[in-house]
Amino acid sequence: MLSVKEIPVTLSHLFETVRHVKKVEKGTFLFQEGRQADELYIIQSGILQLSKIIPDGRELTLRMCNSGDFVGELNLFSSSSRYLLSARVVESGEVAVIMRTELEEKLSQNLPLAFEFIRWMSLQYRKTQTKFRDLVLHGKKGALYSTLIRICNSYGLNTSDGILINIPLTNQELANFCGTSREVVNRLLSDLRKTGIISISKGTITIHDVNYLKEEIDCEDCPVEICKID
């Protein structure tokens, strides 16, 4: 059964253009930056990371995508038919495949669908814009704190001890979200543990004082739908 978690109801018409469903395996790439972009995808299950390899070789992760998310949309109505990002599978699952040319034709002919699609794309742009703002204005520490806040909003579970991040993330993966090195993230996490802001057990992070993180980066209290990593 196909699903549309965060895509607006009107955009459920996207599924009318689905060609087939394919399985994706952990550790593989659904698509890679620079490759021919003839297909777009709606994730049915599993988790993907959308990333950009920056010139010095580091990886900057822009989004975590899971069930119901639409990926590859940056190539719509573009003169370039190559992917701008890479999509790595971090949890095996399935994706529904849509041909780019067919979706472009449908959006051109269906005004309500096109309008809803523009609104959805605007939300994705605002998420990316605020993330880059945090990366640029607040340095490495601020980038990590912002990332932890966003992860809490996307995957946090409220417990009596704080907010449990209910997704396995290595320090390297956190570093990729921050555009910095694993060594820097290791040191910053260690500082947060020493002051009791967070605790880490078996690789799982619990945030005990999320307000401290917000105060340190002068958090603007953006709507939760914008302050997320998915």
Side-chain angles (χ1 to χ4, degrees):
M1 176 70 70
L2 298 177
S3 63
V4 280
K5 183 192 67 171
E6 289 189 355
I7 295 178
V9 174
T10 310
L11 290 186
S12 62
H13 292 296
L14 290 177
F15 289 96
E16 297 174 10
T17 58
V18 168
R19 279 293 189 89
H20 61 276
V21 174
K22 66 184 291 186
K23 292 184 178 181
V24 290
E25 299 295 332
K26 180 179 179 179
T28 64
F29 284 89
L30 177 60
F31 55 81
Q32 289 182 280
E33 182 179 350
R35 298 286 180 84
Q36 191 74 19
D38 295 324
E39 297 178 339
L40 311 174
Y41 308 93
I42 301 176
I43 301 173
Q44 300 304 291
S45 60
I47 299 175
L48 277 72
Q49 284 186 355
L50 294 186
S51 303
K52 178 84 174 177
I53 304 300
I54 50 185
D56 63 6
R58 286 177 294 158
E59 181 180 359
L60 177 60
T61 301
L62 298 177
R63 285 172 60 194
M64 291 276 285
C65 304
N66 53 31
S67 177
D69 285 329
F70 184 51
V71 296
E73 72 282 359
L74 294 177
N75 296 95
L76 281 170
F77 300 105
S78 171
S79 58
S80 171
S81 59
R82 299 187 181 278
Y83 291 112
L84 302 177
L85 304 172
S86 296
R88 181 167 59 88
V89 183
V90 296
E91 183 179 293
S92 299
E94 294 183 337
V95 296
V97 180
I98 298 174
M99 300 306 296
R100 179 173 59 86
T101 53
E102 292 181 15
L103 181 54
E104 287 175 345
E105 181 179 359
K106 191 169 188 65
L107 288 170
S108 298
Q109 297 173 351
N110 187 327
L111 183 59
L113 175 62
F115 178 71
E116 286 299 326
F117 190 82
I118 290 171
R119 290 181 60 185
W120 180 77
M121 283 287 290
S122 175
L123 176 62
Q124 305 310 311
Y125 172 75
R126 291 172 67 192
K127 287 180 184 179
T128 303
Q129 186 182 49
T130 56
K131 180 178 294 185
F132 279 126
R133 175 200 64 198
D134 292 342
L135 288 174
V136 171
L137 295 182
H138 300 296
K140 296 174 181 178
K141 183 174 77 169
L144 175 62
Y145 290 7
S146 170
T147 297
L148 291 174
I149 293 168
R150 292 171 188 277
I151 295 174
C152 284
N153 290 337
S154 294
Y155 297 99
L157 294 178
N158 288 313
T159 71
S160 58
D161 200 28
I163 302 176
L164 173 69
I165 295 178
N166 190 34
I167 184 174
L169 285 173
T170 66
N171 286 6
Q172 182 60 61
E173 287 171 328
L174 282 173
N176 292 346
F177 276 108
C178 302
T180 188
S181 67
R182 179 172 56 84
E183 290 74 19
V184 169
V185 168
N186 290 347
R187 176 175 55 79
L188 292 173
L189 289 177
S190 178
D191 291 343
L192 289 174
R193 292 178 69 177
K194 290 176 182 177
T195 55
I197 304 301
I198 70 170
S199 60
I200 303 175
S201 176
K202 298 180 180 179
T204 301
I205 299 175
T206 298
I207 311 293
H208 301 296
D209 190 354
V210 71
N211 287 328
Y212 171 85
L213 301 180
K214 291 182 177 181
E215 290 170 1
E216 286 293 298
I217 62 170
D218 298 319
C219 179
E220 298 178 5
D221 286 322
C222 297
V224 172
E225 61 266 23
I226 294 176
C227 187
K228 300 175 74 176
I229 63 168
D230 56 3

